[in-house]
Amino acid sequence: MMIINTPAKAKRKLADNMRERRLSMNLTQTGLSKRSGVALATLRKFEQGGAVSVDNLFKLMLVLGGLDEMIEASAPNASNFASIDDVVSGIERPKRKRGSRS
């Protein structure tokens, strides 16, 4: 598993992954641009530096795949607590260790 610790690294990795998807589908940048409705210059800028709007990213992912997985990945995690009172009452304070005298 790769750990991405900055937005810049995440953008770069996302752009690299999308380029690899495009190439694995034997699509040129021009072909992907036509299929997705994303301007060719925008696609080139994205693949070179990772900058892209959410709308254009979704258009690209619709063609290249992964849109449903991205939406699923953004879903909130299930909470084990029904209210803030459950959270507060569930906090256990660490017990102090007391030294022993010999």
Side-chain angles (χ1 to χ4, degrees):
M1 179 178 186
M2 185 177 87
I3 297 175
I4 298 174
N5 56 9
T6 67
K9 287 181 181 179
K11 286 185 347 183
R12 179 74 257 153
K13 185 62 179 166
L14 182 62
D16 290 344
N17 289 346
M18 297 302 285
R19 181 176 183 274
E20 289 301 316
R21 282 180 183 245
R22 175 179 63 77
L23 293 173
S24 72
M25 295 174 69
N26 295 318
L27 280 173
T28 62
Q29 286 181 331
T30 302
L32 178 56
S33 173
K34 288 179 182 177
R35 287 186 181 194
S36 66
V38 174
L40 181 57
T42 300
L43 175 58
R44 286 182 176 153
K45 185 177 178 181
F46 171 55
E47 286 192 359
Q48 290 173 357
V52 69
S53 71
V54 173
D55 288 340
N56 285 332
L57 178 61
F58 286 175
K59 289 176 184 178
L60 294 170
M61 292 187 90
L62 188 62
V63 174
L64 298 174
L67 183 58
D68 292 335
E69 292 86 352
M70 186 167 149
I71 293 168
E72 185 62 32
S74 68
N77 295 330
S79 174
N80 295 331
F81 305 104
S83 70
I84 191 66
D85 293 331
D86 290 346
V87 174
V88 172
S89 67
I91 296 175
E92 291 184 28
R93 296 187 182 186
K95 295 182 180 177
R96 294 178 56 195
K97 293 183 181 180
R98 299 184 188 251
S100 62
R101 295 184 183 176
S102 305

